[in-house]
Amino acid sequence: MGQSIALFGTSADPPTIGHKKILEELSKVYDFTVSYVSNNPNKKHKENISIRSHLLKTLIEDLDNPKILFNQRVSSQWAVESIKNCKKIYEFKKLDFVIGSDLIKDIFCWKDFDKIIKEVSFLIIIRDGYPVESSALKMLETYKVKFKISTIKIPNISSSKFRLNFNYSNLPKSLIDIVKKNNLYESTKLVE
């Protein structure tokens, strides 16, 4: 039996305590977690990918866990390419691709979805407000998607919630000074 590998790509705009918790929990279950920042073709990002990847890299370095690897070379806006890149770089044959439950319905429209489901099994992390509905389960089964539903509990926070309320306690401590000193996300603050 080979090593268990999780591939966790995120748009992380910015990385939050939710991303941190996911990484910590994945490291308890998997031999290795490979993480990177990508541009989601369905989202408009507030900060560019180099800033977001620097933030995620800083978070991962702060975790100081040899089972959590940051590798931006894996990144592509297309999941199929990120999977291919990861398998090529690390010579992994088997991967679990980590997604939030908010993305289940989207995956069926992803570029080369038919190839993705042959390459990976999905690990679905439940996000508050996005239960896994029976219709989604039926679609996963219809398309013969290999998947597991994670028991990882994550805080009810998202990058978009942070950008709305600027509650710095929702950011990992290692990122607060970087975000403040560089005035990141300032353009999203509401001006009275």
Side-chain angles (χ1 to χ4, degrees):
M1 190 163 151
Q3 294 177 317
S4 59
I5 312 300
L7 183 57
F8 178 49
T10 174
S11 56
D13 197 11
T16 66
I17 56 172
H19 295 97
K20 179 181 179 190
K21 178 74 169 172
I22 291 168
L23 289 164
E24 290 170 333
E25 295 299 317
L26 290 172
S27 75
K28 295 175 186 175
V29 178
Y30 290 90
D31 295 321
F32 291 102
T33 297
V34 177
S35 191
Y36 60 95
V37 173
S38 65
N39 282 328
N40 182 330
N42 298 319
K43 289 183 180 178
K44 185 169 176 9
H45 303 290
K46 296 297 180 192
E47 297 293 348
N48 70 44
I49 195 166
S50 64
I51 289 171
R52 291 180 287 121
S53 62
H54 174 71
L55 292 171
L56 184 63
K57 182 179 186 218
T58 301
L59 165 60
I60 290 172
E61 286 171 352
D62 189 55
L63 290 173
D64 194 24
N65 183 332
K67 294 172 74 175
I68 303 172
L69 311 173
F70 173 81
N71 192 336
Q72 194 58 24
R73 291 184 306 148
V74 170
S75 179
S76 168
Q77 69 175 342
W78 309 113
V80 68
E81 294 298 323
S82 294
I83 292 163
K84 187 166 68 174
N85 293 343
C86 185
K87 286 186 170 190
K88 184 178 178 185
I89 292 167
Y90 294 104
E91 298 180 359
F92 296 144
K93 291 187 175 30
K94 195 167 172 254
L95 292 174
D96 283 356
F97 194 80
V98 180
I99 63 167
S101 56
D102 55 316
L103 295 179
I104 293 175
K105 291 179 180 163
D106 295 351
I107 67 171
F108 302 99
C109 301
W110 285 2
K111 178 183 175 191
D112 294 328
F113 170 71
D114 56 325
K115 291 179 183 171
I116 293 170
I117 61 175
K118 291 176 184 165
E119 294 291 324
V120 297
S121 177
F122 285 93
L123 178 71
I124 300 167
I125 296 177
I126 305 296
R127 291 187 64 180
D128 275 356
Y130 297 94
V132 179
E133 298 168 354
S134 58
S135 60
L137 287 173
K138 200 168 277 187
M139 284 180 73
L140 291 168
E141 290 166 5
T142 300
Y143 284 95
K144 296 180 173 47
V145 175
K146 298 179 291 285
F147 71 95
K148 297 177 270 206
I149 298 177
S150 171
T151 57
I152 293 173
K153 300 281 183 238
I154 58 170
N156 185 15
I157 182 61
S158 66
S159 298
S160 57
K161 280 184 186 175
F162 168 78
R163 293 191 310 267
L164 285 174
N165 65 25
F166 274 78
N167 181 348
Y168 286 99
S169 66
N170 291 324
L171 293 183
K173 285 183 176 56
S174 59
L175 303 185
I176 294 171
D177 277 351
I178 298 170
V179 171
K180 285 181 174 181
K181 285 178 182 171
N182 293 286
N183 299 315
L184 300 178
Y185 302 98
E186 288 294 320
S187 64
T188 61
K189 280 188 180 177
L190 294 175
V191 178
E192 291 185 24

